Each structure stands twice: as structure tokens, then as C-alpha cells.
Amino acid sequence: EDQVTQSPEALRLQEGESSSLNCSYTVSGLRGLFWYRQDPGKGPEFLFTLYSAGEEKEKERLKATLTKKESFLHITAPKPEDSATYLCAVQASVDNYGQNFVFGPGTRLSVLP
Amino acid sequence: GAVVSQHPSRVICKSGTSVKIECRSLDFQATTMFWYRQFPKQSLMLMATSNEGSKATYEQGVEKDKFLINHASLTLSTLTVTSAHPEDSSFYICSARGGLGGDYQPQHFGDGTRLSIL
């Protein structure tokens, strides 16, 4: 069964304090790994797609990396506006419909000024 | 690009009422749309997947007759919660996927609908 776990469950950082969020996955063939940001009361906002081990993507203060077992979302010098829940999702290459994402539980990030 | 609009953003209604939620892809054709439910401080739970012009595929444990899904066009899907009861109160979120790259594209989400049944 495809599974996604994320750690830590919650993370509090001071503004400017860099850190990393982890997404570990078990999937029967990875089609893609996706990172989203979700603000309270809103739908998830797409950040990155990673398709193969070794791939990296960057956007402003965020950098996502991928290995065969996990992905990291590195946050460099975070600002209070980076506070949100970060969700990781994987899509397997072998399933009934080739459609479904399996979401992790998320990491709630709080960046204090 | 890849904007998904969901309406209404909030609904409060009496028990027994049917509620319709719309999900539109504004700047791309969504070959596939998804409906999720999210409980407080929990991740998204997939309810069903719909392809344009086809019947929706429901996840195990989701009542087809309770949650009616219609995907009549490449830009619109609707979720109707029939005869809603307090236990149906939740945050419902739609997502859409399409365009070049097909199944390798990410899902793009609407802003959700907060449903409260009194």
C-alpha cells in the first residue's frame, strides 16, 4: 500500500532560521512527488513537482529535493509569511486509474518575527 | 495560470437540505477533477475522481447516493450533498488536472467550501 509520512508534525522557527521538512514515501513506482502549501481555510497551493531521484526545484526561499525514499523541503531564511501547512503528495505509476494522489499529513510551520 | 474556482466558499443550512458545490477550471481544460474532504488539522481525504463525460469513481466508504458528482464539461464539476446532516459538516475541496502532460500534471485546488449543517 502506498504511504506518505511527514515530519515533523509541527515546527516553530524564528525569522531567518533555516530548516528542512521531510516527506518519506513508500510507493509502487513513483510517477511524481508534489509539494503544496495550505493556509488556514484555503485550498492547497501548488509549489513543486519532482519526478526522479536527484531532481531539485527552487522557488524563492524554498528548495525541494528528491531521493528514492524521501523528499526534503528546505526553507532558507524564512519569513513570517512562510507560516502555513506544507503538504507532500505522491502519485504512483501503478494503480487502478493512474490518477490518485496520496497525501501526507502535513507539517505545520510557524515562523515567528 | 492553472486557476481553479470553487463556489460557494461557505454554506450554512438546515438538516435535510441538499447543497450543490461548483468547481471550475478557469484557464485550462480539466480532464480530471477530484473532490476531497478535510477535517480540522488533518490532511485531505479523497472522496471521488471524475473524468469529463464519465461517471465518477468513488473511494471506499463514500456513499454515491449521498455525494452526487457531475462532470459535464471540461471546465465544470459539481458535488451535491443530498439530504445533508450535521455529520456531513466539513471542509470540501475540489481540484482539477489537465493540459499538456496529462497525468503527469499536478492537481490545482480550489479554495474549498466550508459546509455547516445545523
Side-chain angles (χ1 to χ4, degrees):
Chain A
E1 183 181 340
D2 301 333
Q3 286 190 330
V4 180
T5 60
Q6 291 187 246
S7 62
E9 181 178 330
L11 180 63
R12 299 184 95 180
L13 299 173
Q14 288 295 135
E15 184 171 2
E17 180 186 1
S18 301
S19 188
S20 296
L21 313 182
N22 176 267
C23 170
S24 295
Y25 63 91
T26 304
V27 66
S28 52
L30 181 69
R31 179 175 289 202
L33 184 143
F34 305 84
W35 281 99
Y36 289 86
R37 167 195 170 125
Q38 186 175 24
D39 293 301
K42 298 288 187 181
E45 174 190 349
F46 170 69
L47 295 174
F48 303 110
T49 307
L50 300 167
Y51 294 109
S52 58
E55 190 174 359
E56 298 182 352
K57 293 274 180 73
E58 283 191 69
K59 180 180 179 180
E60 296 180 354
R61 296 178 292 281
L62 301 177
K63 178 180 178 180
T65 62
L66 180 65
T67 72
K68 288 185 178 180
K69 294 183 179 180
E70 58 192 350
S71 175
F72 291 94
L73 184 65
H74 307 277
I75 303 178
T76 303
K79 298 181 177 181
E81 53 262 40
D82 294 323
S83 298
T85 295
Y86 290 85
L87 297 168
C88 166
V90 297
Q91 184 181 20
S93 59
V94 180
D95 62 29
N96 288 337
Y97 313 107
Q99 305 279 15
N100 296 346
F101 282 21
V102 176
F103 276 89
T107 293
R108 291 193 308 279
L109 174 66
S110 300
V111 181
L112 308 176
Chain B
V3 178
V4 176
S5 174
Q6 186 174 342
H7 290 282
S9 59
R10 185 173 181 92
V11 180
I12 301 173
C13 57
K14 294 181 178 180
S15 185
T17 305
S18 292
V19 178
K20 180 185 281 188
I21 303 170
E22 287 191 352
C23 180
R24 294 180 184 272
S25 57
L26 298 185
D27 53 1
F28 67 101
Q29 292 188 327
T31 50
T32 308
M33 286 185 166
F34 305 83
W35 289 95
Y36 293 84
R37 186 170 178 175
Q38 188 174 34
F39 294 100
K41 296 191 176 181
Q42 293 189 28
S43 193
L44 288 79
M45 181 186 77
L46 180 66
M47 297 175 65
T49 302
S50 72
N51 292 295
E52 184 264 340
S54 303
K55 287 186 178 180
T57 302
Y58 291 82
E59 294 300 298
Q60 192 172 9
V62 177
E63 298 177 59
K64 299 179 183 181
D65 296 333
K66 161 69 79 175
F67 300 101
L68 301 179
I69 292 171
N70 183 275
H71 191 166
S73 76
L74 284 172
T75 60
L76 174 65
S77 177
T78 60
L79 168 67
T80 301
V81 184
T82 62
S83 187
H85 289 92
E87 59 266 28
D88 298 322
S89 299
S90 192
F91 190 52
Y92 293 87
I93 312 176
C94 74
S95 71
R97 182 168 67 196
L100 295 176
D103 291 348
Y104 289 84
Q105 288 294 311
Q107 294 181 25
H108 296 280
F109 288 83
D111 269 344
T113 296
R114 174 74 57 194
L115 177 62
S116 300
I117 308 298
L118 306 178

